[in-house]
Amino acid sequence: MVYTQKSTLHEVLQSPLGRDMLNTLLLQTGLPAALVQNPLVGAVPLSALKTLSGGKVDEAFLTSFTALLNRDGGILPRPAPGVRPARAWWKEAVVYQVYPRSFADASGDGVGDLAGILAKVPYLADLGVDVLWLSPIYDSPGDDCGYDIRDYQKIDAPFGTLRDFDALLAGVHAHGMKLIMDLVVNHTSDEHAWYREACRGRGDPRHDYYIWADGTPDAPPNNWQSLFGGSAWNWVPSCGQWALHLFSKKQMDLNWECPALRAEVYAMMRWWLARGVDGFRMDVINFISKDGLADGSPLLADVAGMCGVEHYFYGPHLHEYLREMRREALDPYDTFTVGETPALGLEAARLLTAESRRELDTVFNFDHLDNPGKNRYTPYAYDLHELKKYLLRWQCGLGADCWQSLFFDNHDNRRMPGKITSDPALQPAAAKLLAAVQMTLRGTPFVYQGDELGLGNARFDTPDELRDVEAINRYQALTAQGKTSAAAMAVAGYGTRDHARTPMPWNGGKNAGFTAGTPWLQLTEGWQRTNAAAEQADPASVWHFYRAAIALRHAHPALVYGEFQPVFTRSRAFADVFCYFRTLDGERFYVECNLTAKQVRRPAPLCGRLSPVLCSYGAPAAALRPYEANVYRVG
Ligand code: TEU
């Protein structure tokens, strides 16, 4: 089918990106998902949206939208229900994300390092994790805490050297674990040698490695906004051209249309793989193919919060580049890859991860990190009913030929237990609920450092306490608009990514045992009680619960590969619980969670005898207590 503005909303649903985008729109506006199934609504042609929206949907929007609709052949058919997922080591693994700057500091300079991580490998082995993902450790000026890379083949000095890296890798492998690296290849630092050479002028062989636009210094070539605020363009006098940066002013977008650039990226990946790394987490990998440089739609900028995104979040060559990368770099090795893919939905995830397509193993989708209509800068209490809706949709809808990633936290967001409840007394229960869900669903769990402690958020009252370039830019933009410093901090200090990046609290001693020096970022509130040593000494802690949940998953393939069968999903009386079975080869588990801070009635499923195997309150009771989560073996 070829999409035009005459296509109806019903037809739009037959296109992967159309289905995803309509779903996002309905979700964010709070309209019922069934709306487009209504025959009257479904018959509306796209062109009518211009009048219906009072002009908000404009010609430019419809042009890019129809281009996106035409990008794929149609919805990728799903395997029949009941088909089993193929087995793979990375499906059985529990991944642990280390934010190296804040994990453990062996040198005493206040910044975490590789030797510090090596010293904690036994801790991670004890917790039961199988794979470490290291956020970037490459040489970098540190404008975006290492996501701005100056040299892909050098370790950033505060973290150590390549020798330290080899020692860490050997230590990880010696414990039977694996290690994946962060691959940041949508952009490099403006201090990368490639960019410096590219800036010598249009004739330079590396000029084409980046994305340039002609023009004059007074007006950027289009209205695209950087995700960290302001125009997405830098004027480069030495070339008399504009250069694109979707993130900070020091993170310059690479031009993937240039074959020589792609070859260098693959060679760099092979270099790390030959060194022994086991795969990659790929930073904003869905942004690598740009669809020209036309203006972004103001409407989409409003909905998505990023102006221009429709021209790069699912570009025309994305699938082609990913397949080429798999062939050229990954195939000779036994790797695991996870793509970070902001703004993409379920159908796009299928196209990127279906086994037969040979692109990525899994992706990070972000629809669940904030409730619909909210973002990380809006103070609100996270409603777990929305998480249930999201998990039902993905667990039931992804298909057995694809594999989900299961995560609730990372280095870019306020920590989830603190989002769910501001009551510190309830946060451990919320953290245990998340652990129970994460370790009993189909997908690969990603534990972010500190999740296993139920770590909370921090307090940032003054701008000098911030380290996150995005939050600093936001603070500056707000004060430039006339807001007082306190008012600007109320926003920037609430939403800053620094909350997740505070040093890991190891014990109740000086600087929580993270460093002998001065930590580069303040500690999380409550670290005197919430730290690894204190929790290891307390059998009722979040840490012990996490460890038990991981061990349970490892012991039972039903929790990894088993069929997912939700129950009570249509019952109003049990709207506040999330309950499901996982079943494989006669082995069966039942999970029940209370999604609220109040006591709720415990539903009784129709099944064999239930024997509790993991209980967040020690043992089940007649009713479900606040955020209670229990796992039972059936029969
Ligand atoms: O983040 C990409 C990104 O856009 C995130 O802000 C994402 O949209 C958000 O987390 C969704 O909740 C990646 C890295 O994770 C981040 O640390 C980097 O700053 C960014 O890329 C640029 O490399």
Side-chain angles (χ1 to χ4, degrees), residues 144 147-148 182 184 187 227-228 247 251 281 283-284 287 306 340 342 366 369-370 376 410-413 469-470 497 501:
D144 185 22
Y147 281 88
D148 49 320
D182 217 307
V184 189
H187 44 264
L227 273 81
F228 293 165
F247 292 90
Q251 290 169 296
R281 172 269 188 190
D283 194 62
V284 288
F287 289 8
M306 336 181 205
E340 189 210 24
F366 294 101
L369 282 198
D370 279 298
R376 64 170 167 260
N410 62 24
H411 63 292
D412 288 336
N413 293 278
V469 58
E470 183 197 50
R497 300 181 296 175
R501 301 176 179 181

PDB file of all heavy atoms in Angstrom, residues 144 147-148 182 184 187 227-228 247 251 281 283-284 287 306 340 342 366 369-370 376 410-413 469-470 497 501, ligand 1:
ATOM      1  N   ASP A 144      29.077  15.766  28.458  1.00  0.00           N
ATOM      2  CA  ASP A 144      27.853  15.012  28.759  1.00  0.00           C
ATOM      3  C   ASP A 144      28.247  13.727  29.501  1.00  0.00           C
ATOM      4  O   ASP A 144      27.778  12.639  29.176  1.00  0.00           O
ATOM      5  CB  ASP A 144      27.098  14.707  27.452  1.00  0.00           C
ATOM      6  CG  ASP A 144      25.746  14.034  27.699  1.00  0.00           C
ATOM      7  OD1 ASP A 144      25.207  14.169  28.819  1.00  0.00           O
ATOM      8  OD2 ASP A 144      25.242  13.369  26.772  1.00  0.00           O
ATOM      9  N   TYR A 147      29.322  10.759  27.302  1.00  0.00           N
ATOM     10  CA  TYR A 147      28.583  10.447  26.072  1.00  0.00           C
ATOM     11  C   TYR A 147      29.060  11.356  24.926  1.00  0.00           C
ATOM     12  O   TYR A 147      28.474  11.374  23.850  1.00  0.00           O
ATOM     13  CB  TYR A 147      27.067  10.527  26.293  1.00  0.00           C
ATOM     14  CG  TYR A 147      26.552   9.262  26.991  1.00  0.00           C
ATOM     15  CD1 TYR A 147      26.539   9.164  28.380  1.00  0.00           C
ATOM     16  CD2 TYR A 147      26.156   8.155  26.259  1.00  0.00           C
ATOM     17  CE1 TYR A 147      26.118   8.002  29.014  1.00  0.00           C
ATOM     18  CE2 TYR A 147      25.736   6.991  26.880  1.00  0.00           C
ATOM     19  CZ  TYR A 147      25.715   6.915  28.255  1.00  0.00           C
ATOM     20  OH  TYR A 147      25.313   5.750  28.866  1.00  0.00           O
ATOM     21  N   ASP A 148      30.116  12.102  25.208  1.00  0.00           N
ATOM     22  CA  ASP A 148      30.785  12.928  24.197  1.00  0.00           C
ATOM     23  C   ASP A 148      32.205  12.376  24.079  1.00  0.00           C
ATOM     24  O   ASP A 148      33.085  12.716  24.861  1.00  0.00           O
ATOM     25  CB  ASP A 148      30.784  14.399  24.632  1.00  0.00           C
ATOM     26  CG  ASP A 148      31.266  14.613  26.076  1.00  0.00           C
ATOM     27  OD1 ASP A 148      30.902  13.804  26.969  1.00  0.00           O
ATOM     28  OD2 ASP A 148      32.036  15.577  26.310  1.00  0.00           O
ATOM     29  N   ASP A 182      29.189   0.644  26.135  1.00  0.00           N
ATOM     30  CA  ASP A 182      28.272   1.623  25.574  1.00  0.00           C
ATOM     31  C   ASP A 182      28.851   2.058  24.236  1.00  0.00           C
ATOM     32  O   ASP A 182      30.017   2.449  24.175  1.00  0.00           O
ATOM     33  CB  ASP A 182      28.155   2.820  26.525  1.00  0.00           C
ATOM     34  CG  ASP A 182      26.748   3.375  26.580  1.00  0.00           C
ATOM     35  OD1 ASP A 182      26.207   3.670  25.510  1.00  0.00           O
ATOM     36  OD2 ASP A 182      26.200   3.504  27.696  1.00  0.00           O
ATOM     37  N   VAL A 184      28.571   4.747  21.468  1.00  0.00           N
ATOM     38  CA  VAL A 184      27.957   6.056  21.201  1.00  0.00           C
ATOM     39  C   VAL A 184      28.421   6.515  19.826  1.00  0.00           C
ATOM     40  O   VAL A 184      29.479   7.141  19.696  1.00  0.00           O
ATOM     41  CB  VAL A 184      28.362   7.074  22.291  1.00  0.00           C
ATOM     42  CG1 VAL A 184      27.561   8.365  22.134  1.00  0.00           C
ATOM     43  CG2 VAL A 184      28.152   6.484  23.677  1.00  0.00           C
ATOM     44  N   HIS A 187      27.031  10.362  17.499  1.00  0.00           N
ATOM     45  CA  HIS A 187      27.789  11.612  17.553  1.00  0.00           C
ATOM     46  C   HIS A 187      29.143  11.369  18.204  1.00  0.00           C
ATOM     47  O   HIS A 187      29.336  10.347  18.859  1.00  0.00           O
ATOM     48  CB  HIS A 187      27.014  12.671  18.343  1.00  0.00           C
ATOM     49  CG  HIS A 187      26.402  12.129  19.615  1.00  0.00           C
ATOM     50  ND1 HIS A 187      25.089  11.706  19.680  1.00  0.00           N
ATOM     51  CD2 HIS A 187      26.910  11.901  20.844  1.00  0.00           C
ATOM     52  CE1 HIS A 187      24.821  11.262  20.903  1.00  0.00           C
ATOM     53  NE2 HIS A 187      25.914  11.356  21.628  1.00  0.00           N
ATOM     54  N   LEU A 227      18.221  18.261  21.817  1.00  0.00           N
ATOM     55  CA  LEU A 227      17.468  17.643  22.909  1.00  0.00           C
ATOM     56  C   LEU A 227      17.867  18.243  24.250  1.00  0.00           C
ATOM     57  O   LEU A 227      17.171  18.062  25.241  1.00  0.00           O
ATOM     58  CB  LEU A 227      17.678  16.126  22.927  1.00  0.00           C
ATOM     59  CG  LEU A 227      16.711  15.358  22.026  1.00  0.00           C
ATOM     60  CD1 LEU A 227      17.171  15.385  20.577  1.00  0.00           C
ATOM     61  CD2 LEU A 227      16.529  13.937  22.486  1.00  0.00           C
ATOM     62  N   PHE A 228      18.990  18.933  24.264  1.00  0.00           N
ATOM     63  CA  PHE A 228      19.429  19.576  25.505  1.00  0.00           C
ATOM     64  C   PHE A 228      19.162  21.084  25.476  1.00  0.00           C
ATOM     65  O   PHE A 228      19.736  21.827  26.263  1.00  0.00           O
ATOM     66  CB  PHE A 228      20.922  19.306  25.744  1.00  0.00           C
ATOM     67  CG  PHE A 228      21.243  17.860  26.040  1.00  0.00           C
ATOM     68  CD1 PHE A 228      22.556  17.403  25.972  1.00  0.00           C
ATOM     69  CD2 PHE A 228      20.257  16.953  26.416  1.00  0.00           C
ATOM     70  CE1 PHE A 228      22.865  16.072  26.265  1.00  0.00           C
ATOM     71  CE2 PHE A 228      20.557  15.624  26.703  1.00  0.00           C
ATOM     72  CZ  PHE A 228      21.868  15.181  26.621  1.00  0.00           C
ATOM     73  N   PHE A 247      22.410  16.706  20.381  1.00  0.00           N
ATOM     74  CA  PHE A 247      22.550  16.801  21.848  1.00  0.00           C
ATOM     75  C   PHE A 247      23.347  18.067  22.173  1.00  0.00           C
ATOM     76  O   PHE A 247      23.065  19.103  21.578  1.00  0.00           O
ATOM     77  CB  PHE A 247      23.136  15.490  22.385  1.00  0.00           C
ATOM     78  CG  PHE A 247      22.154  14.350  22.230  1.00  0.00           C
ATOM     79  CD1 PHE A 247      22.129  13.561  21.082  1.00  0.00           C
ATOM     80  CD2 PHE A 247      21.181  14.131  23.198  1.00  0.00           C
ATOM     81  CE1 PHE A 247      21.179  12.556  20.915  1.00  0.00           C
ATOM     82  CE2 PHE A 247      20.220  13.128  23.041  1.00  0.00           C
ATOM     83  CZ  PHE A 247      20.225  12.341  21.906  1.00  0.00           C
ATOM     84  N   GLN A 251      28.560  17.807  21.104  1.00  0.00           N
ATOM     85  CA  GLN A 251      28.306  16.437  20.611  1.00  0.00           C
ATOM     86  C   GLN A 251      27.834  16.517  19.158  1.00  0.00           C
ATOM     87  O   GLN A 251      26.656  16.747  18.895  1.00  0.00           O
ATOM     88  CB  GLN A 251      27.239  15.758  21.480  1.00  0.00           C
ATOM     89  CG  GLN A 251      27.735  15.416  22.884  1.00  0.00           C
ATOM     90  CD  GLN A 251      26.603  15.004  23.808  1.00  0.00           C
ATOM     91  OE1 GLN A 251      25.723  15.807  24.103  1.00  0.00           O
ATOM     92  NE2 GLN A 251      26.606  13.769  24.261  1.00  0.00           N
ATOM     93  N   ARG A 281      25.629  -1.776  24.203  1.00  0.00           N
ATOM     94  CA  ARG A 281      24.390  -1.028  24.378  1.00  0.00           C
ATOM     95  C   ARG A 281      24.578   0.171  23.451  1.00  0.00           C
ATOM     96  O   ARG A 281      25.580   0.879  23.539  1.00  0.00           O
ATOM     97  CB  ARG A 281      24.247  -0.602  25.841  1.00  0.00           C
ATOM     98  CG  ARG A 281      23.088   0.361  26.127  1.00  0.00           C
ATOM     99  CD  ARG A 281      23.511   1.807  26.033  1.00  0.00           C
ATOM    100  NE  ARG A 281      22.480   2.729  26.477  1.00  0.00           N
ATOM    101  CZ  ARG A 281      22.524   4.031  26.316  1.00  0.00           C
ATOM    102  NH1 ARG A 281      23.562   4.594  25.735  1.00  0.00           N
ATOM    103  NH2 ARG A 281      21.564   4.800  26.753  1.00  0.00           N
ATOM    104  N   ASP A 283      23.812   3.681  22.032  1.00  0.00           N
ATOM    105  CA  ASP A 283      23.222   4.971  22.372  1.00  0.00           C
ATOM    106  C   ASP A 283      22.417   5.545  21.195  1.00  0.00           C
ATOM    107  O   ASP A 283      22.923   5.600  20.072  1.00  0.00           O
ATOM    108  CB  ASP A 283      24.367   5.930  22.726  1.00  0.00           C
ATOM    109  CG  ASP A 283      23.896   7.181  23.421  1.00  0.00           C
ATOM    110  OD1 ASP A 283      23.334   7.069  24.521  1.00  0.00           O
ATOM    111  OD2 ASP A 283      24.105   8.285  22.870  1.00  0.00           O
ATOM    112  N   VAL A 284      21.197   6.010  21.483  1.00  0.00           N
ATOM    113  CA  VAL A 284      20.297   6.608  20.467  1.00  0.00           C
ATOM    114  C   VAL A 284      20.536   6.068  19.056  1.00  0.00           C
ATOM    115  O   VAL A 284      20.622   6.832  18.092  1.00  0.00           O
ATOM    116  CB  VAL A 284      20.314   8.155  20.461  1.00  0.00           C
ATOM    117  CG1 VAL A 284      19.601   8.698  21.684  1.00  0.00           C
ATOM    118  CG2 VAL A 284      21.710   8.728  20.382  1.00  0.00           C
ATOM    119  N   PHE A 287      18.733   7.152  15.851  1.00  0.00           N
ATOM    120  CA  PHE A 287      18.873   8.509  15.300  1.00  0.00           C
ATOM    121  C   PHE A 287      19.920   8.580  14.172  1.00  0.00           C
ATOM    122  O   PHE A 287      20.177   9.645  13.638  1.00  0.00           O
ATOM    123  CB  PHE A 287      19.320   9.504  16.397  1.00  0.00           C
ATOM    124  CG  PHE A 287      18.266   9.838  17.438  1.00  0.00           C
ATOM    125  CD1 PHE A 287      17.059   9.166  17.504  1.00  0.00           C
ATOM    126  CD2 PHE A 287      18.503  10.860  18.360  1.00  0.00           C
ATOM    127  CE1 PHE A 287      16.109   9.479  18.472  1.00  0.00           C
ATOM    128  CE2 PHE A 287      17.563  11.182  19.335  1.00  0.00           C
ATOM    129  CZ  PHE A 287      16.361  10.491  19.393  1.00  0.00           C
ATOM    130  N   MET A 306      10.650  17.386  21.076  1.00  0.00           N
ATOM    131  CA  MET A 306      11.901  17.526  20.323  1.00  0.00           C
ATOM    132  C   MET A 306      11.540  17.989  18.909  1.00  0.00           C
ATOM    133  O   MET A 306      10.859  17.262  18.186  1.00  0.00           O
ATOM    134  CB  MET A 306      12.669  16.203  20.198  1.00  0.00           C
ATOM    135  CG  MET A 306      12.380  15.156  21.253  1.00  0.00           C
ATOM    136  SD  MET A 306      13.390  13.673  20.963  1.00  0.00           S
ATOM    137  CE  MET A 306      12.395  12.416  21.754  1.00  0.00           C
ATOM    138  N   GLU A 340      19.338   1.616  22.250  1.00  0.00           N
ATOM    139  CA  GLU A 340      18.530   2.634  22.934  1.00  0.00           C
ATOM    140  C   GLU A 340      17.735   3.357  21.852  1.00  0.00           C
ATOM    141  O   GLU A 340      18.322   3.963  20.956  1.00  0.00           O
ATOM    142  CB  GLU A 340      19.415   3.623  23.696  1.00  0.00           C
ATOM    143  CG  GLU A 340      18.581   4.539  24.586  1.00  0.00           C
ATOM    144  CD  GLU A 340      19.179   5.912  24.807  1.00  0.00           C
ATOM    145  OE1 GLU A 340      19.977   6.363  23.953  1.00  0.00           O
ATOM    146  OE2 GLU A 340      18.851   6.546  25.808  1.00  0.00           O
ATOM    147  N   PRO A 342      14.815   5.929  21.751  1.00  0.00           N
ATOM    148  CA  PRO A 342      13.772   6.832  22.223  1.00  0.00           C
ATOM    149  C   PRO A 342      12.747   7.127  21.121  1.00  0.00           C
ATOM    150  O   PRO A 342      13.115   7.185  19.954  1.00  0.00           O
ATOM    151  CB  PRO A 342      14.526   8.118  22.586  1.00  0.00           C
ATOM    152  CG  PRO A 342      15.959   7.804  22.546  1.00  0.00           C
ATOM    153  CD  PRO A 342      16.145   6.527  21.811  1.00  0.00           C
ATOM    154  N   PHE A 366      10.851   3.585  26.005  1.00  0.00           N
ATOM    155  CA  PHE A 366      10.761   4.443  27.195  1.00  0.00           C
ATOM    156  C   PHE A 366       9.350   4.835  27.594  1.00  0.00           C
ATOM    157  O   PHE A 366       9.161   5.672  28.470  1.00  0.00           O
ATOM    158  CB  PHE A 366      11.598   5.706  26.977  1.00  0.00           C
ATOM    159  CG  PHE A 366      13.063   5.416  26.878  1.00  0.00           C
ATOM    160  CD1 PHE A 366      13.702   5.371  25.647  1.00  0.00           C
ATOM    161  CD2 PHE A 366      13.801   5.158  28.016  1.00  0.00           C
ATOM    162  CE1 PHE A 366      15.050   5.073  25.555  1.00  0.00           C
ATOM    163  CE2 PHE A 366      15.150   4.864  27.938  1.00  0.00           C
ATOM    164  CZ  PHE A 366      15.776   4.821  26.707  1.00  0.00           C
ATOM    165  N   LEU A 369       8.573   5.005  31.425  1.00  0.00           N
ATOM    166  CA  LEU A 369       9.394   5.647  32.467  1.00  0.00           C
ATOM    167  C   LEU A 369       8.673   6.808  33.121  1.00  0.00           C
ATOM    168  O   LEU A 369       8.953   7.156  34.265  1.00  0.00           O
ATOM    169  CB  LEU A 369      10.739   6.093  31.904  1.00  0.00           C
ATOM    170  CG  LEU A 369      11.761   4.976  31.722  1.00  0.00           C
ATOM    171  CD1 LEU A 369      13.156   5.559  31.597  1.00  0.00           C
ATOM    172  CD2 LEU A 369      11.738   3.946  32.837  1.00  0.00           C
ATOM    173  N   ASP A 370       7.762   7.416  32.393  1.00  0.00           N
ATOM    174  CA  ASP A 370       6.896   8.426  32.995  1.00  0.00           C
ATOM    175  C   ASP A 370       5.468   8.131  32.599  1.00  0.00           C
ATOM    176  O   ASP A 370       5.218   7.537  31.551  1.00  0.00           O
ATOM    177  CB  ASP A 370       7.298   9.835  32.538  1.00  0.00           C
ATOM    178  CG  ASP A 370       8.489  10.356  33.334  1.00  0.00           C
ATOM    179  OD1 ASP A 370       8.338  10.495  34.562  1.00  0.00           O
ATOM    180  OD2 ASP A 370       9.558  10.591  32.742  1.00  0.00           O
ATOM    181  N   ARG A 376      10.134  13.897  32.859  1.00  0.00           N
ATOM    182  CA  ARG A 376      10.892  13.820  34.112  1.00  0.00           C
ATOM    183  C   ARG A 376      10.998  15.163  34.832  1.00  0.00           C
ATOM    184  O   ARG A 376      11.421  15.222  35.975  1.00  0.00           O
ATOM    185  CB  ARG A 376      12.251  13.177  33.902  1.00  0.00           C
ATOM    186  CG  ARG A 376      13.193  13.921  33.009  1.00  0.00           C
ATOM    187  CD  ARG A 376      14.585  13.300  33.071  1.00  0.00           C
ATOM    188  NE  ARG A 376      15.411  13.796  32.009  1.00  0.00           N
ATOM    189  CZ  ARG A 376      15.661  13.133  30.883  1.00  0.00           C
ATOM    190  NH1 ARG A 376      15.153  11.951  30.699  1.00  0.00           N
ATOM    191  NH2 ARG A 376      16.410  13.680  29.954  1.00  0.00           N
ATOM    192  N   ASN A 410      17.592   4.097  34.795  1.00  0.00           N
ATOM    193  CA  ASN A 410      18.894   4.172  34.146  1.00  0.00           C
ATOM    194  C   ASN A 410      19.538   5.483  34.584  1.00  0.00           C
ATOM    195  O   ASN A 410      19.018   6.153  35.485  1.00  0.00           O
ATOM    196  CB  ASN A 410      18.768   4.033  32.621  1.00  0.00           C
ATOM    197  CG  ASN A 410      17.950   5.169  32.012  1.00  0.00           C
ATOM    198  OD1 ASN A 410      17.835   6.250  32.580  1.00  0.00           O
ATOM    199  ND2 ASN A 410      17.375   4.926  30.856  1.00  0.00           N
ATOM    200  N   HIS A 411      20.644   5.845  33.938  1.00  0.00           N
ATOM    201  CA  HIS A 411      21.381   7.034  34.371  1.00  0.00           C
ATOM    202  C   HIS A 411      20.747   8.332  33.896  1.00  0.00           C
ATOM    203  O   HIS A 411      21.320   9.398  34.107  1.00  0.00           O
ATOM    204  CB  HIS A 411      22.812   6.926  33.840  1.00  0.00           C
ATOM    205  CG  HIS A 411      22.820   6.914  32.337  1.00  0.00           C
ATOM    206  ND1 HIS A 411      22.308   5.869  31.591  1.00  0.00           N
ATOM    207  CD2 HIS A 411      23.228   7.836  31.430  1.00  0.00           C
ATOM    208  CE1 HIS A 411      22.416   6.142  30.308  1.00  0.00           C
ATOM    209  NE2 HIS A 411      22.971   7.332  30.188  1.00  0.00           N
ATOM    210  N   ASP A 412      19.607   8.272  33.234  1.00  0.00           N
ATOM    211  CA  ASP A 412      18.985   9.471  32.668  1.00  0.00           C
ATOM    212  C   ASP A 412      17.706   9.893  33.380  1.00  0.00           C
ATOM    213  O   ASP A 412      17.024  10.799  32.906  1.00  0.00           O
ATOM    214  CB  ASP A 412      18.623   9.225  31.193  1.00  0.00           C
ATOM    215  CG  ASP A 412      19.832   9.182  30.277  1.00  0.00           C
ATOM    216  OD1 ASP A 412      20.864   9.768  30.631  1.00  0.00           O
ATOM    217  OD2 ASP A 412      19.732   8.557  29.206  1.00  0.00           O
ATOM    218  N   ASN A 413      17.349   9.212  34.446  1.00  0.00           N
ATOM    219  CA  ASN A 413      16.028   9.483  35.029  1.00  0.00           C
ATOM    220  C   ASN A 413      16.066   9.450  36.545  1.00  0.00           C
ATOM    221  O   ASN A 413      16.878   8.756  37.142  1.00  0.00           O
ATOM    222  CB  ASN A 413      15.038   8.420  34.528  1.00  0.00           C
ATOM    223  CG  ASN A 413      14.794   8.576  33.044  1.00  0.00           C
ATOM    224  OD1 ASN A 413      13.993   9.409  32.625  1.00  0.00           O
ATOM    225  ND2 ASN A 413      15.511   7.814  32.239  1.00  0.00           N
ATOM    226  N   VAL A 469      24.506  18.358  32.011  1.00  0.00           N
ATOM    227  CA  VAL A 469      24.478  19.446  31.021  1.00  0.00           C
ATOM    228  C   VAL A 469      23.036  19.795  30.621  1.00  0.00           C
ATOM    229  O   VAL A 469      22.695  20.959  30.426  1.00  0.00           O
ATOM    230  CB  VAL A 469      25.350  19.094  29.782  1.00  0.00           C
ATOM    231  CG1 VAL A 469      24.894  17.804  29.110  1.00  0.00           C
ATOM    232  CG2 VAL A 469      25.365  20.218  28.763  1.00  0.00           C
ATOM    233  N   GLU A 470      22.178  18.793  30.545  1.00  0.00           N
ATOM    234  CA  GLU A 470      20.790  19.062  30.158  1.00  0.00           C
ATOM    235  C   GLU A 470      20.096  19.946  31.201  1.00  0.00           C
ATOM    236  O   GLU A 470      19.438  20.929  30.887  1.00  0.00           O
ATOM    237  CB  GLU A 470      20.019  17.748  30.010  1.00  0.00           C
ATOM    238  CG  GLU A 470      18.601  17.978  29.547  1.00  0.00           C
ATOM    239  CD  GLU A 470      17.712  16.763  29.789  1.00  0.00           C
ATOM    240  OE1 GLU A 470      17.693  16.230  30.915  1.00  0.00           O
ATOM    241  OE2 GLU A 470      17.036  16.357  28.848  1.00  0.00           O
ATOM    242  N   ARG A 497      19.140  14.693  35.600  1.00  0.00           N
ATOM    243  CA  ARG A 497      19.578  13.299  35.516  1.00  0.00           C
ATOM    244  C   ARG A 497      20.579  12.963  36.622  1.00  0.00           C
ATOM    245  O   ARG A 497      20.908  11.809  36.838  1.00  0.00           O
ATOM    246  CB  ARG A 497      20.158  13.036  34.122  1.00  0.00           C
ATOM    247  CG  ARG A 497      19.135  13.286  33.008  1.00  0.00           C
ATOM    248  CD  ARG A 497      19.697  13.000  31.633  1.00  0.00           C
ATOM    249  NE  ARG A 497      20.802  13.889  31.296  1.00  0.00           N
ATOM    250  CZ  ARG A 497      21.520  13.781  30.186  1.00  0.00           C
ATOM    251  NH1 ARG A 497      21.274  12.821  29.324  1.00  0.00           N
ATOM    252  NH2 ARG A 497      22.501  14.628  29.937  1.00  0.00           N
ATOM    253  N   ARG A 501      22.642   9.614  39.157  1.00  0.00           N
ATOM    254  CA  ARG A 501      24.092   9.515  38.978  1.00  0.00           C
ATOM    255  C   ARG A 501      24.870   9.721  40.268  1.00  0.00           C
ATOM    256  O   ARG A 501      26.093   9.803  40.258  1.00  0.00           O
ATOM    257  CB  ARG A 501      24.532  10.544  37.925  1.00  0.00           C
ATOM    258  CG  ARG A 501      23.831  10.311  36.607  1.00  0.00           C
ATOM    259  CD  ARG A 501      24.160  11.368  35.573  1.00  0.00           C
ATOM    260  NE  ARG A 501      23.472  11.065  34.306  1.00  0.00           N
ATOM    261  CZ  ARG A 501      23.569  11.786  33.206  1.00  0.00           C
ATOM    262  NH1 ARG A 501      24.334  12.873  33.203  1.00  0.00           N
ATOM    263  NH2 ARG A 501      22.919  11.437  32.121  1.00  0.00           N
TER     264      ARG A 501
HETATM  265  O1  TEU B   1      20.087   9.374  25.898  1.00  0.00           O
HETATM  266  C1  TEU B   1      19.214   9.650  24.849  1.00  0.00           C
HETATM  267  C2  TEU B   1      18.065  10.459  25.212  1.00  0.00           C
HETATM  268  O2  TEU B   1      17.556  11.180  24.421  1.00  0.00           O
HETATM  269  C3  TEU B   1      17.524  10.359  26.587  1.00  0.00           C
HETATM  270  O3  TEU B   1      17.450  11.641  27.115  1.00  0.00           O
HETATM  271  C4  TEU B   1      16.187   9.728  26.517  1.00  0.00           C
HETATM  272  O4  TEU B   1      15.369  10.429  25.639  1.00  0.00           O
HETATM  273  C5  TEU B   1      15.542   9.752  27.863  1.00  0.00           C
HETATM  274  O5  TEU B   1      16.354   9.074  28.761  1.00  0.00           O
HETATM  275  C6  TEU B   1      14.206   9.076  27.849  1.00  0.00           C
HETATM  276  O6  TEU B   1      13.694   9.097  29.140  1.00  0.00           O
HETATM  277  C7  TEU B   1      21.338   8.869  25.595  1.00  0.00           C
HETATM  278  C8  TEU B   1      22.114   8.673  26.869  1.00  0.00           C
HETATM  279  O7  TEU B   1      21.489   7.705  27.646  1.00  0.00           O
HETATM  280  C9  TEU B   1      22.274   9.992  27.557  1.00  0.00           C
HETATM  281  O8  TEU B   1      22.924   9.882  28.789  1.00  0.00           O
HETATM  282  C10 TEU B   1      23.053  10.889  26.645  1.00  0.00           C
HETATM  283  O9  TEU B   1      23.129  12.174  27.193  1.00  0.00           O
HETATM  284  C11 TEU B   1      22.435  10.986  25.260  1.00  0.00           C
HETATM  285  O10 TEU B   1      22.072   9.716  24.733  1.00  0.00           O
HETATM  286  C12 TEU B   1      23.420  11.580  24.280  1.00  0.00           C
HETATM  287  O11 TEU B   1      24.469  10.694  24.051  1.00  0.00           O
END
